[in-house]
Amino acid sequence: MRILGLDVGTKTIGVAISDPLGWTAQGIETMRRSRLETDLEQLRELVDKWEVEAIVIGMPRNMNGTYGPKSEIIRAFGQQLADKVQRPIHYWDERLTTVAAQKTLLQGDVSRAKRKQVVDKLAAVLILQNYLDGHRRP
């Protein structure tokens, strides 16, 4: 059972995939956003290619745990994606995942240009891995 993880931004979408057993998350790409229909079609192709059973989307929350205007945009995107791919959509708190991704890349001495290319993919990995860890059966 593979799960797709997404870090949805205004310019890019970081994409990660779980292994078939649902233990680990790996980054697969950073999609450059274009038209909504094009974005949804690209994601549908990934869902088919990887035989995805469910999708986890990072949900932006304020530091106090409340939801802001961006969360409504993400929910609307998730609903449109669900309609397109006919798979369950789950949301996972994405607070500080981009900060953690940036910190990891800085510690790895990754150049600024390279960080910009992979930070969203790494954020998607962190979102998905946190989801997998939170849903692992004992």
Side-chain angles (χ1 to χ4, degrees):
M1 168 177 112
R2 288 194 187 263
I3 300 174
L4 195 70
L6 303 176
D7 179 38
V8 179
T10 56
K11 296 181 181 177
T12 62
I13 300 174
V15 184
I17 192 78
S18 74
D19 67 287
L21 298 176
W23 286 89
T24 62
Q26 299 85 35
I28 54 174
E29 72 176 87
T30 300
M31 289 175 39
R32 176 75 44 207
R33 302 272 323 250
S34 63
R35 294 180 324 106
L36 176 62
E37 191 55 41
T38 303
D39 297 341
L40 296 174
E41 181 58 27
Q42 282 185 278
L43 290 169
R44 187 201 57 76
E45 289 171 6
L46 289 173
V47 165
D48 291 345
K49 174 183 176 182
W50 291 96
E51 299 177 355
V52 169
E53 293 186 24
I55 300 169
V56 175
I57 300 175
M59 176 58 73
R61 296 179 81 171
N62 298 320
M63 291 310 291
N64 65 3
T66 61
Y67 296 99
K70 178 108 187 276
S71 63
E72 292 305 314
I73 294 168
I74 296 300
R75 282 193 195 281
F77 180 86
Q79 184 58 56
Q80 290 169 314
L81 181 58
D83 292 344
K84 180 82 171 178
V85 300
Q86 301 298 304
R87 301 292 191 286
I89 303 289
H90 306 283
Y91 299 96
W92 193 256
D93 187 351
E94 72 168 18
R95 280 180 286 185
L96 301 179
T97 54
T98 300
V99 171
Q102 286 278 15
K103 188 174 182 177
T104 300
L105 293 168
L106 280 169
Q107 289 172 340
D109 201 27
V110 177
S111 72
R112 180 182 306 250
K114 184 69 173 168
R115 279 195 312 264
K116 200 171 183 181
Q117 293 173 0
V118 299
V119 69
D120 295 319
K121 178 170 58 173
L122 184 53
V125 169
L126 294 172
I127 290 164
L128 181 55
Q129 189 63 57
N130 289 337
Y131 176 86
L132 295 171
D133 293 345
H135 287 82
R136 188 163 294 133
R137 293 186 183 106

